[in-house]
Amino acid sequence: MARPFRRATRTVNEVVNGVPVAYDVPDTTPPPPRLPFNLDSLLRRALFTLAIVMTIGAIIWGTVAIGSMLTLLAPAWAAYLVAGVFDAGWAACLIAEWILRYDSKRAETPRNAGVAMLVVSMAAIITHGALAGSWGWIVGIVGALVSAAAKGVWAIGMHTIRIKLDPKYEAYLRARQQQTGTELALALGDRDQALTEDRTVKLRLALEARRGGPETTVDQFVVQPEATPVQAADQAVNQIESSPEPALSPVQPTVQAANRTADRPVQPDDQVAELLRRLKLGEQITKQDAADILGVPPSTAYRRLTAAKDQLRQYN
């Protein structure tokens, strides 16, 4: 039979004659001291538990009263569904006020909005009681006070936990929240941009697959007219002298060779390799630059550039 009460043990690891062994011994370590009874925490929980119960009761009563009045003009399901909005509105403002309890300026908006919604809800409940009969307005006032009592208990509870911060610490907290919110917004923007780029690439690939393959272009080279010899009136035919060509500086042959290289289209098998080579050299290549280098449409150049960047990231 298992013992109902077991003594605490601890495991000891030792080496006996070169053999590691592990065995249990009674744990004589004194238990950690218990925390003292916290009456404030218990009472705070009781206070907010009562506030939640009173709020639920106020929402139920307000929904029944206002919904019964709205059934005069609307179906029952719609009337009671809309009636719950009156008390649920100021209850939602209580949640917002709780979240902003350390920011007095921002907490004023949900607090004032909650009071305004509470007044509207109480007026609707009193109106329902007045329509019920000669003494119904008394029932309406009592029912309206239920919502006021729930709101009052919440206000007292918020007053017990609200901490009035110094202006500098409140500004510091607001600055930290602003910084955190900015970082989150930037991260969401980067995610949206990445998703948009992926969808764009998939859309272009789908369109090209539907058209039956990538687009092809024919590069047209401009044929320069040859120099025409000039013949004088009294000059023989065999003595015609062509117009002298301008002398080329040492830099011009290199520039012309580079231009001829840029004008020559890159073969499809070497297009990604060419862009990868330029990226490794540190060049900043855009989609239009890639189209000019490869001599292909921008859509095709974008795919080649994306593939080259992927290979560059793998190398890095």
Side-chain angles (χ1 to χ4, degrees):
M1 296 179 57
R3 296 181 180 180
F5 300 100
R6 294 183 178 181
R7 296 181 58 184
T9 60
R10 60 186 181 90
T11 303
V12 178
N13 297 317
E14 291 185 359
V15 178
V16 180
N17 295 329
V19 179
V21 295
Y23 56 94
D24 296 335
V25 297
D27 189 4
T28 57
T29 304
R34 293 183 179 181
L35 296 176
F37 178 71
N38 191 350
L39 181 61
D40 293 341
S41 177
L42 179 62
L43 293 178
R44 188 179 295 109
R45 292 181 181 179
L47 174 61
F48 283 103
T49 301
L50 291 176
I52 293 174
V53 173
M54 293 177 65
T55 302
I56 295 175
I59 293 176
I60 294 175
W61 175 257
T63 302
V64 171
I66 301 174
S68 177
M69 180 179 59
L70 294 179
T71 52
L72 300 176
L73 300 175
W77 65 270
Y80 286 102
L81 180 63
V82 175
V85 175
F86 287 87
D87 285 315
W90 63 262
C93 292
L94 291 175
I95 299 176
E97 187 179 356
W98 173 281
I99 296 174
L100 300 174
R101 62 186 181 276
Y102 297 124
D103 194 341
S104 59
K105 293 183 179 180
R106 297 174 61 189
E108 291 179 358
T109 301
R111 186 184 306 116
N112 297 334
V115 172
M117 294 180 184
L118 176 64
V119 172
V120 174
S121 176
M122 293 175 62
I125 295 174
I126 294 174
T127 303
H128 169 260
L131 296 176
S134 58
W135 294 97
W137 60 273
I138 298 178
V139 179
I141 292 176
V142 174
L145 291 178
V146 174
S147 298
K151 176 69 175 179
V153 173
W154 269 106
I156 294 173
M158 294 295 295
H159 183 71
T160 59
I161 65 172
R162 185 179 293 110
I163 299 176
K164 182 62 177 179
L165 299 177
D166 291 338
K168 63 177 181 179
Y169 292 112
E170 190 171 350
Y172 170 75
L173 179 60
R174 191 179 300 110
R176 290 293 302 273
Q177 293 174 348
Q178 183 69 21
Q179 182 180 3
T180 304
T182 302
E183 294 177 356
L184 178 60
L186 293 177
L188 293 176
D190 294 339
R191 185 197 65 176
D192 294 340
Q193 181 180 1
L195 293 177
T196 302
E197 292 178 354
D198 291 342
R199 286 195 296 267
T200 302
V201 173
K202 293 179 181 179
L203 178 59
R204 292 183 182 276
L205 294 176
L207 290 176
E208 290 188 357
R210 186 174 182 179
R211 292 172 182 174
E215 300 178 356
T216 57
T217 58
V218 179
D219 297 329
Q220 298 179 354
F221 298 93
V222 179
V223 180
Q224 299 294 337
E226 298 181 356
T228 304
V230 181
Q231 179 181 6
D234 56 350
Q235 188 177 10
V237 178
N238 56 358
Q239 295 181 357
I240 297 176
E241 295 180 359
S242 60
S243 57
E245 297 182 357
L248 299 177
S249 62
V251 182
Q252 288 179 345
T254 306
V255 175
Q256 292 180 355
N259 292 334
R260 289 195 298 269
T261 304
D263 294 338
R264 185 181 303 113
V266 184
Q267 297 300 324
D269 297 338
D270 301 333
Q271 289 177 358
V272 178
E274 175 64 18
L275 294 178
L276 179 61
R277 182 184 66 81
R278 292 173 177 265
L279 291 174
K280 288 182 178 180
L281 295 177
E283 296 185 15
Q284 300 295 331
I285 302 176
T286 62
K287 180 175 67 175
Q288 187 60 40
D289 296 338
D292 296 339
I293 294 172
L294 303 178
V296 295
S299 59
T300 305
Y302 179 76
R303 295 195 308 274
R304 303 293 188 268
L305 182 59
T306 303
K309 289 183 178 180
D310 293 340
Q311 294 183 12
L312 182 63
R313 284 193 292 267
Q314 294 177 0
Y315 291 148
N316 293 335

